[in-house]
Amino acid sequence: MKKKIEICILGNGPTARICSFLIKTPHILIGNQNNFGSLTKTKIAYNNINLIPIFPVYNSHLYNKLWENNFEKHDFLNYSERGDISIEFDSIQEFIKNASSLSYAVQRLKEKQDFSTKKNIILAYKLFGRVIFERELNRLLAKVNKHYNGMGTNKRIGYINKLSPYHERIANICFDNFFSDEIKKIDIKRKIIYTKTSDITYSKLISTIDLRDFFHKINYPNNLNLVSSSAYFCLIKINAILPINLVIYDVEIKSPIYRIFTISENFIIIQLAFNCQNIDSHLLFQALYKLLGRVFDILFEYRYMMKNAYPICTSSDILLQQYKHELASNDIHLIGRYAEWEYLDLHELNYAKLYL
């Protein structure tokens, strides 16, 4: 079957759905309508939960577009950290002394050596491991410089009924333009998408899918190494009542906890530190009791991971930019953290590409 469509969007996750919401020109989404990607709702312990914490920034451009300037009352995230930053920073001095001069940690310390920078390096080490002392990690550096330059953290809207506000908003938008079929290959010169059942001719293509998968479908050379780090989580239910939408970072180097989110009064998402995904539950919960300053019973535990959660570097940024330029010249635009291989949140994406 042959089809001709003005604009095609590849993907089914939040980025693809947001792009579809913003575009007014007739278009289709090629993806699984029942799959919300990182915002997929999972039923666990008789509760529907978004397992990946993704939060809108209040009054951002994207927020105002999606919520259409609806200034309703929101429950905002409350951030804090536990531990002595000075002591913990002293404990990694040997790593810093032997670090590469071009490494992320050294570059950060060249810019500033204040309290905030030390905290950031500790947390980066807990999240990514010793790679921060070995590689540049330009994407991580750009992310930190954008968000932690002394201007404070943007107000983010917390969980609603154990679900991300993004899910609550996007799930209420009717997307009746999905084309659910597997993409076999894409001819970018002839502008044809070959699926199992159809040949779809397009004028403009928006890809929100993983860049490696996209390169495979367009038969680009496999000469660009895209480096990422996965995120590991533990969801627990407790027999105590906690304030909702707390985000607490644990700066203690030896703790297996990177941060926690209280997504309801008795459900907590624990994000584990680097290489701690197999930590014994007893040790993990002891660290949690210390972090929260209280002991309670754990009623339920579920561990999971988000593969490639953080795109942190490439083998050649020059080559990546060259490929992106070539794609743009063929009316193909990449939008999304994994599509662009840039460490960006939903509200930071350049949706203006939709109108090029």
Side-chain angles (χ1 to χ4, degrees), residues 15-204:
T15 304
R17 292 169 190 261
I18 289 170
C19 288
S20 180
F21 173 77
L22 295 175
I23 289 180
K24 305 307 177 186
T25 307
H27 63 278
I28 63 169
L29 285 149
I30 304 180
N32 183 353
Q33 187 170 8
N34 298 317
N35 187 334
F36 270 70
S38 56
L39 281 181
T40 296
K41 187 169 61 175
T42 305
K43 196 172 186 78
I44 295 181
Y46 307 104
N47 289 266
N48 289 316
I49 299 173
N50 282 145
L51 295 175
I52 306 301
I54 305 175
F55 307 106
V57 169
Y58 183 62
N59 269 351
S60 64
H61 181 70
L62 180 59
Y63 170 85
N64 290 329
K65 285 286 187 180
L66 286 175
W67 277 267
E68 298 176 320
N69 295 307
N70 181 359
F71 298 106
E72 61 187 72
K73 186 178 184 298
H74 294 295
D75 190 1
F76 296 107
L77 297 178
N78 294 299
Y79 293 88
S80 63
E81 69 266 345
R82 301 286 189 274
D84 190 314
I85 290 171
S86 296
I87 291 174
E88 299 304 325
F89 189 74
D90 287 344
S91 72
I92 58 173
Q93 285 304 302
E94 193 65 25
F95 293 151
I96 294 173
K97 186 172 70 175
N98 295 315
S100 164
S101 60
L102 297 177
S103 68
Y104 167 79
V106 171
Q107 292 301 314
R108 285 290 291 145
L109 289 169
K110 281 181 180 178
E111 294 171 2
K112 287 184 181 178
Q113 295 193 22
D114 59 2
F115 185 82
S116 178
T117 300
K118 292 178 180 180
K119 179 178 75 172
N120 172 259
I121 290 174
I122 291 167
L123 291 174
Y125 172 60
K126 289 197 68 174
L127 186 58
F128 301 114
R130 292 184 63 172
V131 68
I132 73 162
F133 304 110
E134 300 164 353
R135 303 187 69 162
E136 289 185 74
L137 308 183
N138 289 333
R139 282 151 183 76
L140 177 58
L141 189 62
K143 180 78 168 178
V144 169
N145 286 339
K146 183 183 294 185
H147 289 274
Y148 306 101
N149 56 3
M151 297 178 64
T153 304
N154 291 320
K155 291 174 69 174
R156 292 178 182 258
I157 306 167
Y159 269 69
I160 302 170
N161 299 322
K162 307 179 192 70
L163 297 172
S164 164
Y166 274 129
H167 182 280
E168 293 291 80
R169 179 67 189 100
I170 294 171
N172 288 324
I173 299 172
C174 179
F175 295 99
D176 57 2
N177 53 345
F178 264 97
F179 182 73
S180 296
D181 200 0
E182 181 184 349
I183 299 172
K184 306 300 290 184
K185 65 177 182 177
I186 302 172
D187 186 330
I188 65 174
K189 296 298 184 185
R190 298 174 63 200
K191 296 187 176 182
I192 301 176
I193 301 170
Y194 297 95
T195 74
K196 275 189 171 182
T197 63
S198 302
D199 298 350
I200 304 171
T201 302
Y202 63 86
S203 296
K204 181 164 70 174

Side-chain angles (χ1 to χ4, degrees), residues 256 279-289 298 301 303:
I279 186 74
D280 178 79
S281 294
H282 175 74
L283 296 176
L284 176 62
F285 298 147
Q286 289 300 314
L288 180 64
Y289 300 148
I298 309 296
E301 173 189 2
R303 298 199 189 190

Side-chain angles (χ1 to χ4, degrees), residues 310-328:
Y310 306 104
I312 53 177
C313 63
T314 74
S315 57
S316 172
D317 282 352
I318 294 174
L319 184 57
L320 176 58
Q321 292 308 315
Q322 177 185 323
Y323 284 158
K324 287 181 179 180
H325 179 75
E326 290 174 2
L327 293 173

